[in-house]
Amino acid sequence: MGYATEKFSKRLKEIREASGLTQAQLASELKVSRGAISYYENGERTPDIEFLDSLAEYFDLPLEFAMGYTDNIKQEHRNMYEFYGLDDAACEELDFNPEIGQLISAILGHKSFYALKRCYNSLLKNYKDFNFEQLSYTSFLISDALNKIVFDSLCILRDMQFTPEEKEALRIKNEIALKEFDELTKKWNEEEIRRKKEWEKKDLELAKKDEEENSVQYKAQDNVYAKFYDGTESLAHKRYF
C-alpha cells in the first residue's frame, strides 16, 4: 500500500462513518460497487480521479481533505494547516481573536521554548517506553516550562500597551514602592528585635525572682534529681530552658 492510498483509505472510512452511511449506501450514492468502497477503505485498491472528484463533490469537501492530505474542511484554512499544522478550530479562533497570535508569538520566541520543544519531542518519541514515574516527571517539566513561558509572555503582552514613557514612569513608581516596602520591613524587624530583647529581659527577671522565692524547694529537688537520675540534664536546666 502506497502512502497516498493509505492516507485516502483512512480518510474515506472517517468520512463514511461520520456521514452515517453504510458501505453499500455510499456505493449507491456514488454509483460504484460496495466492493469498491470496501477495497478503498482497506487500502487494497487505489481510487481513480473520477471517484475522488465524486466523493469531494458529494460531501462538499476540499479535494485535499477528501484525500487525507489536510485536516481542514475549510478551503481557506488549507494553507495554514500545511504551513503550521493548525486545524479548523485553531484557525477559527485566530480569525475571531487575532490578538491570540501575539501570545503565540511571545511563547514561540521565549528563551525556554527550545527546552520545552525538546522535552515534548522526547515524549512523543519514547512515550511507549516511559513508565508512570517518567511520564509524571516529563509532565511536570513541560507544565513548569509552560507556566514560566506563559507568565513571561503575558507580561510582554501587558507591557505592549504602554509607551516607552509610560514604562519608565511605571519603573520609577515600582522602585519607589519597593524602597518604601524595604524601609517598612526594616523598621518592623528592628521593632521585633527590640521586643524580643525586652521579653528575654523580663523572662530572666522572673526566673531570678522565682529562684529566690523557691530556693529551698528547688535545691531539694536538685539533690533528689542528682541522686536518682542517670542522665546529665538538671532540674534547673528544665525549669529555665
Side-chain angles (χ1 to χ4, degrees), residues 211 214-226 235-236 239:
E211 185 69 28
N214 302 285
S215 58
V216 174
Q217 178 185 0
Y218 290 157
K219 185 177 181 180
Q221 290 177 350
D222 288 340
N223 290 338
V224 172
Y225 204 81
L235 280 178
R239 282 199 295 270

Side-chain angles (χ1 to χ4, degrees), residues 8-20:
F8 174 74
S9 66
K10 293 179 180 179
R11 180 51 51 84
L12 175 61
K13 187 174 183 179
E14 290 175 346
I15 294 173
R16 182 184 61 75
E17 291 180 344
S19 70

Side-chain angles (χ1 to χ4, degrees), residues 9-232:
S9 66
K10 293 179 180 179
R11 180 51 51 84
L12 175 61
K13 187 174 183 179
E14 290 175 346
I15 294 173
R16 182 184 61 75
E17 291 180 344
S19 70
L21 298 176
T22 64
Q23 289 184 344
Q25 289 172 328
L26 179 60
S28 175
E29 292 295 316
L30 298 182
K31 297 179 174 54
V32 296
S33 68
R34 191 203 66 79
I37 300 297
S38 177
Y39 286 136
Y40 295 153
E41 288 190 0
N42 292 325
E44 297 174 1
R45 288 185 183 176
T46 301
D48 58 30
I49 191 65
E50 294 296 335
F51 178 82
L52 292 174
D53 184 66
S54 297
L55 177 69
E57 183 178 358
Y58 182 83
F59 288 107
D60 191 22
L61 296 171
L63 186 59
E64 291 85 356
F65 180 87
M67 293 178 66
Y69 288 140
T70 178
D71 286 337
N72 296 82
I73 291 180
K74 286 193 173 183
Q75 185 69 30
E76 60 268 29
H77 291 161
R78 182 173 61 85
N79 289 338
M80 295 185 72
Y81 176 81
E82 291 179 352
F83 288 128
Y84 310 115
L86 299 178
D87 59 18
D88 280 320
C91 293
E92 292 283 4
E93 191 65 39
L94 286 171
D95 286 341
F96 285 109
N97 300 285
E99 64 276 6
I100 292 180
Q102 297 175 340
L103 176 59
I104 294 174
S105 296
I107 291 174
L108 296 181
H110 194 277
K111 59 184 179 181
S112 296
F113 185 76
Y114 177 71
L116 173 64
K117 184 172 66 174
R118 288 189 60 186
C119 187
Y120 182 67
N121 287 338
S122 176
L123 174 63
L124 292 180
K125 183 178 179 180
N126 305 299
Y127 76 96
K128 291 183 178 179
D129 300 323
F130 278 13
N131 57 33
F132 180 79
E133 289 75 16
Q134 289 171 314
L135 285 174
S136 297
Y137 183 62
T138 303
S139 176
F140 164 76
L141 292 177
I142 292 177
S143 298
D144 185 57
L146 275 175
N147 283 334
K148 294 177 182 177
I149 291 173
V150 172
F151 177 79
D152 290 343
S153 301
L154 290 176
C155 288
I156 293 173
L157 295 179
R158 179 202 62 184
D159 293 342
M160 287 174 61
Q161 64 183 309
F162 299 116
T163 64
E165 293 76 14
E166 290 173 331
K167 291 180 181 178
E168 179 63 16
L170 285 172
R171 185 189 66 79
I172 295 174
K173 184 178 180 180
N174 287 336
E175 285 185 354
I176 294 173
L178 287 173
K179 185 176 180 181
E180 292 176 347
F181 177 78
D182 289 340
E183 291 176 352
L184 289 173
T185 301
K186 183 179 179 181
K187 289 181 180 179
W188 185 85
N189 289 334
E190 291 174 349
E191 182 64 19
E192 281 294 299
I193 293 173
R194 184 189 65 79
R195 283 198 294 264
K196 184 177 180 181
K197 289 181 177 179
E198 289 182 354
W199 294 335
E200 289 175 349
K201 182 180 179 180
K202 289 180 180 179
D203 288 342
L204 288 174
E205 291 174 351
L206 290 173
K208 183 178 180 180
K209 183 179 179 181
D210 180 66
E211 185 69 28
E212 291 173 351
E213 292 178 350
N214 302 285
S215 58
V216 174
Q217 178 185 0
Y218 290 157
K219 185 177 181 180
Q221 290 177 350
D222 288 340
N223 290 338
V224 172
Y225 204 81
K227 181 174 180 61
F228 296 103
Y229 184 66
D230 293 332
T232 58

